[in-house]
Amino acid sequence: MAPRRPKGAGAFPKPVESPVPNTPDPAELYAALDLGTNSCRMLIAQPKGSQFHVVDSFSKSVQLGAGLERSGQLSRSSMGRTIQALRVCQQKLRRHKVRHMRLVATEACRRAGNARRFIDQVENETGLRLEIIQPEEEARLAVISCAPLVSTKTDQLLVVDIGGGSTELVWIDLTAVPRRERPRAIMRLHAGFHPAESPFPAAKVVDWISVPLGVATLRDQFRDVQDDTARFALMSWYFEESLAEFAPYKDEQVREGFQIIGTSGTVTTVAASHLGLKRYDRTKVDGLRMTSDQIDRVIRDYLTLGPEGRRKDPRIGQDRQTLIMSGSAILQALLRCWPTDRLSVADRGLREGLLYAQMSAHGVLEDAPY
C-alpha cells in the first residue's frame, strides 16, 4: 500500500517568465531541480518583491523510470540519458554562479534498488548531489506552489499532483479560515502539514496519500493490453481502487465550495486541448478553470483520435501520446469520485514549491504569508 499520513488574498510568489533586465547578483539566485520518473526539470530564479523572476530553465524527458516496474532497478541507458541532462543543468548552475539550490529526486529513485549508486554516480560525473525526498514533502511542495490559485470561496480543497511515477493527493479543509486569508493559509503549509500552534488561522489537512502510480508507471502496468479503449478503462478503474484508503474517498462532496487544483503535464495538456490551442501557451493555461464535463469531452476526443491521431496532435505529440492516456485515466478516476465545476489548472508544481520554500526560509520575499 502507498505511504499515507492520516489527518492530523495577498500576493504570492509565482514564476514570471519575462527576463530580468540586468545580470542578477549570483547571491540572489535560487535554483530548484526536480528529477522525476519521466522528466528532469530545473528553474533558476531571482526573488522580485513578493514573486520571483525566472532567469533560466531546463526541461527534458529522460525516462529515468523506464523498465523500473519490471526490474526494480534503474537501467543503464536511463541513467545515461539522465546524467547527460544533469550535465546541462550543472553547466547552467555554473554559468549563473548559483549558490542557493535544492536538487531533488522523487518516485523512481525512492523505488529503485540501485538508486543510491546512481546518486553517487551523478555526483561523481556532474558534481551535483541529488536529494531523494519523501512523498509527504513532495506533496507539501506541490500544494504551496498552487496557493495563488485557491479561490477565497473554497471550503474544501483537493490538490492533485500527477507525476511520472506517483500521484499525490492532499485534501484540505479551509472552513475555519476567513475567506480572504485562505490562499495565505495554504502557503503557510510549507512548514508542514501539521505545523505547530500559530496565531494565524490554519488550513486543516484532512488526509493525504501518495499513490505509487503515475503516467509512466500506470502505462507500464497495462502495456500488454492491445485495445486502446479497453486499456484506458482498465487503467482508470485500477487507479480508483488505489484510493480506497484515502479518508475522503467515500464522502459525497457537494460541488459548491469544493475546488480541485491539478498540477501536471496531463492537466495542462487537457486544458490546451480544451482551449483548442495550436501551440501551448502557459499564460492561457495556468489558472484556467474547467468542469468535469469539459474534461470528459476532451478525454473522449483523445479516445476517438486513437494512438495515431494523438501522435499527430501538436498539443500531445509522439513522445507523450501514451502518457496522456494514462494521465487522463487518473484524471477521469478522480472526477468519478469527486465531480467538480471548478478544477483549476496549475502549470506549476514541485520546482516552484522548492523555490518558494528556500526563499521563504531566507526571508527574501516581501509580504510573506506569515
Side-chain angles (χ1 to χ4, degrees):
M1 183 59 209
R4 176 174 172 270
R5 297 291 182 276
K7 16 181 175 177
F12 294 97
K14 58 185 177 183
V16 178
E17 301 291 340
S18 57
V20 178
N22 302 314
T23 303
D25 179 350
E28 295 180 3
L29 292 180
Y30 290 78
L33 186 147
D34 167 17
L35 177 59
T37 302
N38 198 55
S39 303
C40 174
R41 297 180 294 179
M42 184 178 73
L43 287 177
I44 298 174
Q46 178 185 24
K48 205 73 174 175
S50 61
Q51 305 181 6
F52 55 75
H53 280 283
V54 175
V55 173
D56 205 346
S57 64
F58 176 81
S59 181
K60 188 170 182 63
S61 172
V62 293
Q63 299 175 55
L64 178 61
L68 180 60
E69 278 296 306
R70 293 187 299 276
S71 67
Q73 305 283 316
L74 301 174
S75 72
R76 185 173 298 179
S77 58
S78 297
M79 292 190 290
R81 283 192 302 272
T82 303
I83 287 173
Q84 285 298 105
L86 289 168
R87 283 199 180 100
V88 177
C89 294
Q90 189 267 346
Q91 289 162 9
K92 287 177 177 283
L93 291 166
R94 179 182 290 174
R95 186 185 318 133
H96 292 287
K97 301 177 182 176
V98 181
R99 301 177 194 174
H100 312 295
M101 64 187 82
R102 275 197 81 189
L103 318 174
V104 306
T106 57
E107 185 68 10
C109 287
R110 286 196 290 261
R111 294 177 62 187
N114 58 344
R116 287 292 167 191
R117 193 159 69 249
F118 168 64
I119 297 291
D120 292 339
Q121 184 180 347
V122 168
E123 186 169 22
N124 289 337
E125 297 192 26
T126 69
L128 302 180
R129 185 66 185 177
L130 295 172
E131 170 191 359
I132 302 174
I133 61 170
Q134 294 307 305
E136 180 175 353
E137 184 172 13
E138 183 177 359
R140 188 169 73 242
L141 291 165
V143 165
I144 64 172
S145 75
C146 295
L149 303 181
V150 176
S151 167
T152 56
K153 297 177 181 177
T154 296
D155 296 322
Q156 301 293 325
L157 174 69
L158 175 61
V159 178
V160 180
D161 181 9
I162 306 172
S166 65
T167 299
E168 279 68 46
L169 289 84
V170 185
W171 193 290
I172 301 166
D173 183 342
L174 290 164
T175 51
V177 182
R179 289 191 180 278
R180 66 180 184 176
E181 285 295 311
R182 289 177 182 181
R184 285 176 177 271
I186 295 296
M187 195 68 84
R188 283 194 285 270
L189 291 174
H190 77 87
F193 280 160
H194 306 290
E197 287 298 316
S198 163
F200 300 102
K204 178 186 177 186
V205 175
V206 177
D207 200 3
W208 74 274
I209 189 171
S210 178
V211 180
L213 292 169
V215 294
T217 44
L218 186 59
R219 175 201 61 189
D220 291 348
Q221 291 234 6
F222 292 90
R223 193 185 284 276
D224 294 339
V225 180
Q226 297 301 311
D227 183 80
D228 192 49
T229 305
R231 182 171 58 249
F232 174 80
L234 286 168
M235 288 190 296
S236 189
W237 286 109
Y238 185 72
F239 183 84
E240 185 177 343
E241 285 180 357
S242 68
L243 299 175
E245 297 204 21
F246 186 48
Y249 174 65
K250 294 171 185 171
D251 298 340
E252 188 171 336
Q253 184 57 46
V254 178
R255 288 196 184 197
E256 189 178 349
F258 173 56
Q259 181 184 7
I260 298 178
I261 298 180
T263 168
S264 72
T266 295
V267 181
T268 56
T269 301
V270 167
S273 297
H274 167 67
L275 292 172
L277 300 181
K278 298 298 181 189
R279 294 183 59 187
Y280 185 80
D281 185 343
R282 182 186 187 277
T283 61
K284 293 180 179 175
V285 168
D286 186 51
L288 176 74
R289 287 188 183 174
M290 299 181 69
T291 67
S292 298
D293 293 340
Q294 289 170 333
I295 293 167
D296 189 57
R297 274 197 294 275
V298 172
I299 293 173
R300 287 178 187 277
D301 287 345
Y302 288 163
L303 287 167
T304 302
L305 282 172
E308 195 53 39
R310 295 193 296 269
R311 221 174 260 121
K312 293 175 181 175
D313 189 310
R315 291 159 297 231
I316 302 171
Q318 189 163 346
D319 294 340
R320 290 193 59 85
Q321 76 87 10
T322 56
L323 294 174
I324 191 60
M325 293 319 295
S326 49
S328 295
I330 291 171
L331 196 51
Q332 189 189 69
L334 295 170
L335 293 175
R336 257 199 318 272
C337 297
W338 304 289
T340 180
D341 294 324
R342 290 189 299 156
L343 184 142
S344 297
V345 179
D347 186 345
R348 56 184 76 211
L350 184 55
R351 291 175 303 167
E352 288 81 1
L354 285 163
L355 286 172
Y356 171 75
Q358 291 180 83
M359 293 175 183
S360 177
H362 290 181
V364 294
L365 292 170
E366 295 173 11
D367 194 27
Y370 291 111

Short mmCIF file of all heavy atoms in Angstrom, two decimals, residues 263-297:
data_model
loop_
_atom_site.label_atom_id
_atom_site.label_comp_id
_atom_site.label_asym_id
_atom_site.label_seq_id
_atom_site.Cartn_x
_atom_site.Cartn_y
_atom_site.Cartn_z
N THR A 263 -2.09 19.73 -10.86
CA THR A 263 -0.79 20.16 -11.35
C THR A 263 -0.08 18.98 -12.01
O THR A 263 0.22 18.00 -11.35
CB THR A 263 0.08 20.78 -10.23
OG1 THR A 263 1.42 20.93 -10.70
CG2 THR A 263 0.09 19.93 -8.97
N SER A 264 0.12 19.08 -13.31
CA SER A 264 0.81 18.01 -14.05
C SER A 264 0.76 18.32 -15.53
O SER A 264 -0.07 19.13 -15.98
CB SER A 264 0.14 16.66 -13.82
OG SER A 264 -1.10 16.61 -14.48
N GLY A 265 1.62 17.65 -16.29
CA GLY A 265 1.57 17.77 -17.74
C GLY A 265 0.26 17.27 -18.30
O GLY A 265 -0.23 17.78 -19.32
N THR A 266 -0.34 16.28 -17.63
CA THR A 266 -1.64 15.77 -18.09
C THR A 266 -2.69 16.86 -18.05
O THR A 266 -3.40 17.11 -19.02
CB THR A 266 -2.11 14.59 -17.20
OG1 THR A 266 -1.20 13.51 -17.37
CG2 THR A 266 -3.52 14.15 -17.57
N VAL A 267 -2.80 17.53 -16.91
CA VAL A 267 -3.85 18.53 -16.73
C VAL A 267 -3.64 19.72 -17.67
O VAL A 267 -4.59 20.24 -18.27
CB VAL A 267 -3.92 18.99 -15.26
CG1 VAL A 267 -5.03 20.01 -15.05
CG2 VAL A 267 -4.15 17.80 -14.33
N THR A 268 -2.39 20.15 -17.83
CA THR A 268 -2.13 21.30 -18.71
C THR A 268 -2.38 20.93 -20.18
O THR A 268 -2.85 21.76 -20.96
CB THR A 268 -0.70 21.83 -18.53
OG1 THR A 268 0.25 20.79 -18.74
CG2 THR A 268 -0.52 22.42 -17.13
N THR A 269 -2.08 19.68 -20.56
CA THR A 269 -2.33 19.24 -21.94
C THR A 269 -3.84 19.18 -22.21
O THR A 269 -4.31 19.60 -23.27
CB THR A 269 -1.69 17.87 -22.21
OG1 THR A 269 -0.28 17.96 -21.97
CG2 THR A 269 -1.92 17.42 -23.64
N VAL A 270 -4.59 18.62 -21.26
CA VAL A 270 -6.05 18.58 -21.40
C VAL A 270 -6.61 19.99 -21.53
O VAL A 270 -7.49 20.26 -22.35
CB VAL A 270 -6.69 17.84 -20.20
CG1 VAL A 270 -8.20 18.05 -20.15
CG2 VAL A 270 -6.39 16.35 -20.27
N ALA A 271 -6.08 20.92 -20.75
CA ALA A 271 -6.53 22.32 -20.82
C ALA A 271 -6.23 22.92 -22.19
O ALA A 271 -7.08 23.62 -22.77
CB ALA A 271 -5.86 23.14 -19.72
N ALA A 272 -5.03 22.67 -22.71
CA ALA A 272 -4.65 23.20 -24.02
C ALA A 272 -5.56 22.63 -25.12
O ALA A 272 -5.97 23.34 -26.04
CB ALA A 272 -3.19 22.87 -24.32
N SER A 273 -5.92 21.35 -24.99
CA SER A 273 -6.84 20.74 -25.96
C SER A 273 -8.22 21.36 -25.85
O SER A 273 -8.88 21.64 -26.86
CB SER A 273 -6.92 19.23 -25.72
OG SER A 273 -5.66 18.61 -25.94
N HIS A 274 -8.68 21.59 -24.62
CA HIS A 274 -9.99 22.21 -24.40
C HIS A 274 -10.06 23.60 -25.04
O HIS A 274 -11.07 23.97 -25.64
CB HIS A 274 -10.27 22.31 -22.90
CG HIS A 274 -11.42 23.19 -22.53
ND1 HIS A 274 -12.72 22.90 -22.86
CD2 HIS A 274 -11.45 24.39 -21.89
CE1 HIS A 274 -13.52 23.87 -22.42
NE2 HIS A 274 -12.77 24.78 -21.83
N LEU A 275 -8.97 24.35 -24.94
CA LEU A 275 -8.93 25.70 -25.49
C LEU A 275 -8.70 25.71 -27.00
O LEU A 275 -8.84 26.76 -27.65
CB LEU A 275 -7.81 26.51 -24.82
CG LEU A 275 -8.01 26.85 -23.34
CD1 LEU A 275 -6.75 27.47 -22.76
CD2 LEU A 275 -9.21 27.77 -23.14
N GLY A 276 -8.32 24.55 -27.56
CA GLY A 276 -8.06 24.47 -28.99
C GLY A 276 -6.79 25.17 -29.42
O GLY A 276 -6.68 25.66 -30.54
N LEU A 277 -5.82 25.25 -28.51
CA LEU A 277 -4.56 25.94 -28.82
C LEU A 277 -3.78 25.19 -29.90
O LEU A 277 -3.70 23.96 -29.88
CB LEU A 277 -3.69 26.07 -27.56
CG LEU A 277 -4.29 26.84 -26.37
CD1 LEU A 277 -3.28 26.87 -25.24
CD2 LEU A 277 -4.70 28.24 -26.77
N LYS A 278 -3.19 25.94 -30.82
CA LYS A 278 -2.32 25.33 -31.83
C LYS A 278 -0.93 25.09 -31.24
O LYS A 278 -0.25 24.13 -31.58
CB LYS A 278 -2.21 26.24 -33.06
CG LYS A 278 -3.55 26.47 -33.77
CD LYS A 278 -4.13 25.16 -34.29
CE LYS A 278 -5.45 25.40 -35.01
NZ LYS A 278 -6.14 24.14 -35.33
N ARG A 279 -0.53 26.02 -30.38
CA ARG A 279 0.74 25.86 -29.66
C ARG A 279 0.48 26.12 -28.19
O ARG A 279 -0.36 26.95 -27.83
CB ARG A 279 1.79 26.85 -30.17
CG ARG A 279 2.22 26.63 -31.60
CD ARG A 279 3.32 27.60 -31.99
NE ARG A 279 4.48 27.45 -31.14
CZ ARG A 279 5.54 28.27 -31.18
NH1 ARG A 279 5.53 29.30 -32.00
NH2 ARG A 279 6.58 28.07 -30.39
N TYR A 280 1.21 25.42 -27.33
CA TYR A 280 0.99 25.57 -25.89
C TYR A 280 1.32 27.00 -25.45
O TYR A 280 2.33 27.57 -25.85
CB TYR A 280 1.86 24.57 -25.11
CG TYR A 280 1.58 24.61 -23.63
CD1 TYR A 280 0.46 23.95 -23.11
CD2 TYR A 280 2.39 25.32 -22.76
CE1 TYR A 280 0.17 24.00 -21.76
CE2 TYR A 280 2.10 25.38 -21.42
CZ TYR A 280 0.99 24.72 -20.92
OH TYR A 280 0.70 24.79 -19.58
N ASP A 281 0.45 27.57 -24.63
CA ASP A 281 0.62 28.93 -24.12
C ASP A 281 0.34 28.93 -22.63
O ASP A 281 -0.81 28.84 -22.20
CB ASP A 281 -0.33 29.89 -24.85
CG ASP A 281 -0.12 31.35 -24.45
OD1 ASP A 281 0.50 31.60 -23.40
OD2 ASP A 281 -0.60 32.23 -25.18
N ARG A 282 1.40 29.03 -21.84
CA ARG A 282 1.27 28.95 -20.38
C ARG A 282 0.34 30.02 -19.82
O ARG A 282 -0.42 29.78 -18.88
CB ARG A 282 2.65 29.08 -19.73
CG ARG A 282 2.61 28.95 -18.22
CD ARG A 282 3.96 29.22 -17.57
NE ARG A 282 3.86 28.93 -16.16
CZ ARG A 282 3.39 29.77 -15.25
NH1 ARG A 282 2.96 30.95 -15.62
NH2 ARG A 282 3.33 29.41 -13.98
N THR A 283 0.39 31.21 -20.42
CA THR A 283 -0.42 32.32 -19.88
C THR A 283 -1.92 32.04 -20.03
O THR A 283 -2.72 32.57 -19.27
CB THR A 283 -0.08 33.65 -20.60
OG1 THR A 283 -0.37 33.51 -22.00
CG2 THR A 283 1.38 34.00 -20.42
N LYS A 284 -2.30 31.23 -21.00
CA LYS A 284 -3.71 30.90 -21.18
C LYS A 284 -4.13 29.67 -20.37
O LYS A 284 -5.31 29.48 -20.09
CB LYS A 284 -4.00 30.65 -22.67
CG LYS A 284 -3.87 31.90 -23.51
CD LYS A 284 -4.16 31.62 -24.97
CE LYS A 284 -4.05 32.91 -25.79
NZ LYS A 284 -4.21 32.66 -27.23
N VAL A 285 -3.17 28.85 -20.01
CA VAL A 285 -3.48 27.58 -19.35
C VAL A 285 -3.42 27.69 -17.82
O VAL A 285 -4.33 27.22 -17.12
CB VAL A 285 -2.51 26.48 -19.85
CG1 VAL A 285 -2.61 25.23 -18.98
CG2 VAL A 285 -2.81 26.15 -21.31
N ASP A 286 -2.37 28.30 -17.29
CA ASP A 286 -2.20 28.37 -15.84
C ASP A 286 -3.32 29.19 -15.21
O ASP A 286 -3.52 30.36 -15.55
CB ASP A 286 -0.85 28.99 -15.50
CG ASP A 286 -0.54 28.95 -14.01
OD1 ASP A 286 -0.66 27.86 -13.42
OD2 ASP A 286 -0.18 30.00 -13.44
N GLY A 287 -4.08 28.56 -14.33
CA GLY A 287 -5.19 29.24 -13.66
C GLY A 287 -6.54 29.03 -14.33
O GLY A 287 -7.57 29.44 -13.78
N LEU A 288 -6.54 28.40 -15.51
CA LEU A 288 -7.81 28.12 -16.19
C LEU A 288 -8.68 27.20 -15.32
O LEU A 288 -8.16 26.27 -14.69
CB LEU A 288 -7.53 27.43 -17.53
CG LEU A 288 -8.76 26.98 -18.33
CD1 LEU A 288 -9.45 28.18 -18.96
CD2 LEU A 288 -8.36 25.98 -19.41
N ARG A 289 -9.98 27.44 -15.33
CA ARG A 289 -10.91 26.57 -14.60
C ARG A 289 -11.72 25.75 -15.59
O ARG A 289 -12.20 26.28 -16.59
CB ARG A 289 -11.84 27.37 -13.71
CG ARG A 289 -11.13 27.93 -12.50
CD ARG A 289 -12.13 28.54 -11.54
NE ARG A 289 -11.43 29.15 -10.42
CZ ARG A 289 -12.05 29.86 -9.48
NH1 ARG A 289 -13.34 30.05 -9.56
NH2 ARG A 289 -11.36 30.37 -8.49
N MET A 290 -11.87 24.47 -15.29
CA MET A 290 -12.63 23.57 -16.16
C MET A 290 -13.63 22.78 -15.31
O MET A 290 -13.41 22.56 -14.11
CB MET A 290 -11.69 22.59 -16.87
CG MET A 290 -10.67 23.25 -17.77
SD MET A 290 -9.62 22.03 -18.61
CE MET A 290 -10.82 21.28 -19.71
N THR A 291 -14.72 22.35 -15.96
CA THR A 291 -15.69 21.50 -15.27
C THR A 291 -15.41 20.04 -15.61
O THR A 291 -14.70 19.72 -16.58
CB THR A 291 -17.12 21.83 -15.72
OG1 THR A 291 -17.27 21.46 -17.11
CG2 THR A 291 -17.42 23.31 -15.56
N SER A 292 -16.01 19.14 -14.83
CA SER A 292 -15.87 17.70 -15.09
C SER A 292 -16.33 17.37 -16.51
O SER A 292 -15.70 16.56 -17.21
CB SER A 292 -16.70 16.89 -14.09
OG SER A 292 -16.25 17.10 -12.79
N ASP A 293 -17.43 17.99 -16.94
CA ASP A 293 -17.97 17.71 -18.27
C ASP A 293 -17.02 18.14 -19.38
O ASP A 293 -16.86 17.44 -20.38
CB ASP A 293 -19.33 18.42 -18.46
CG ASP A 293 -20.40 17.83 -17.55
OD1 ASP A 293 -20.22 16.68 -17.09
OD2 ASP A 293 -21.41 18.52 -17.29
N GLN A 294 -16.38 19.29 -19.21
CA GLN A 294 -15.43 19.76 -20.22
C GLN A 294 -14.22 18.83 -20.32
O GLN A 294 -13.75 18.51 -21.42
CB GLN A 294 -14.97 21.18 -19.88
CG GLN A 294 -16.05 22.23 -20.08
CD GLN A 294 -15.66 23.58 -19.50
OE1 GLN A 294 -14.87 23.67 -18.55
NE2 GLN A 294 -16.21 24.64 -20.08
N ILE A 295 -13.74 18.37 -19.18
CA ILE A 295 -12.60 17.45 -19.17
C ILE A 295 -12.98 16.12 -19.80
O ILE A 295 -12.22 15.54 -20.59
CB ILE A 295 -12.08 17.26 -17.73
CG1 ILE A 295 -11.47 18.57 -17.22
CG2 ILE A 295 -11.05 16.13 -17.66
CD1 ILE A 295 -11.22 18.61 -15.74
N ASP A 296 -14.18 15.65 -19.48
CA ASP A 296 -14.65 14.39 -20.04
C ASP A 296 -14.73 14.45 -21.56
O ASP A 296 -14.37 13.49 -22.26
CB ASP A 296 -16.02 14.03 -19.45
CG ASP A 296 -16.46 12.63 -19.83
OD1 ASP A 296 -15.72 11.68 -19.54
OD2 ASP A 296 -17.54 12.49 -20.45
N ARG A 297 -15.16 15.60 -22.10
CA ARG A 297 -15.25 15.75 -23.55
C ARG A 297 -13.86 15.66 -24.20
O ARG A 297 -13.70 15.03 -25.24
CB ARG A 297 -15.91 17.09 -23.91
CG ARG A 297 -17.43 17.02 -23.95
CD ARG A 297 -18.03 18.21 -24.69
NE ARG A 297 -17.79 19.47 -23.99
CZ ARG A 297 -18.58 19.92 -23.02
NH1 ARG A 297 -19.63 19.23 -22.62
NH2 ARG A 297 -18.32 21.09 -22.45
#
